[in-house]
């Protein structure tokens, strides 16, 4: 059971970007068509990815087992910042579920979903991970210990070694 609740390290950035693309699609449908029922699988997906990486995430499974292998591209990036990002997404989407279904607050829930949409779009289109940037800031501030992500401290030599 312990191996179920692990997060991959490193993570294939291509897979992360494709998952973000799926999140973009779901958030656009939620906001544009008012399909707020999509908040439930959206929130589940984020929570599942925080806890198990792609293992219990249907979107994660589709991407890592179906799409990414066909692309034959692997760009490894550190896992801890990506997990942190998934945690932010989980917090926002679970909050949106509570606001919408529990309190009837459509506008507030939609605001949180819009935040997820922006972050997922930046990740999927531009490979700019907002959560990863926050993770790095928290590491520099000493809030996140360096031992959490030793590789994060030396990204330049990692890139040179890969080349």
């Amino acid at each position: 059971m312990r191996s179920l609740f692990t997060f991959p390290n490193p993570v294939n950035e291509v897979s992360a970007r494709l998952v973000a693309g799926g999140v973009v699609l779901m958030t656009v449908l939620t906001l544009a068509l008012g399909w707020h029922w999509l908040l439930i699988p959206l929130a589940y997906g984020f929570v599942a990815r925080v806890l198990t990486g792609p293992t219990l995430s249907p979107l994660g499974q589709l991407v890592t087992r179906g799409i990414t292998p066909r692309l034959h591209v692997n760009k490894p990036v550190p896992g801890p910042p990506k997990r942190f990002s998934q945690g932010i997404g989980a917090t926002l989407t679970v909050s949106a579920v509570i606001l919408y279904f529990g309190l009837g607050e459509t506008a507030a829930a939609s605001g949180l979903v819009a935040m997820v949409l922006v972050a997922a779009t930046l990740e999927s289109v531009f490979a700019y991970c907002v959560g990863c940037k926050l993770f790095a800031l928290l590491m520099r501030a000493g809030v996140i210990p360096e031992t959490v992500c030793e590789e994060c401290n030396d990204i330049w030599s990692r890139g040179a070694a890969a080349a």
Side-chain angles (χ1 to χ4, degrees), residues 45-113:
F46 275 110
V47 171
R49 289 188 295 277
V50 168
L51 295 175
T52 69
T55 305
L56 295 180
S57 165
L59 180 57
Q61 286 294 302
L62 172 67
V63 166
T64 59
R65 291 182 184 254
I67 299 171
T68 306
R70 288 172 171 76
L71 298 176
H72 305 290
V73 179
N74 184 23
K75 184 176 179 197
V77 294
K82 294 296 186 186
R83 187 177 211 174
F84 181 79
S85 298
Q86 293 297 312
I88 294 169
T91 301
L92 293 172
T93 55
V94 167
S95 296
V97 166
I98 293 167
L99 285 168
Y100 183 78
F101 292 103
L103 303 174
E105 294 289 337
T106 304
S110 294
L112 295 178
V113 173

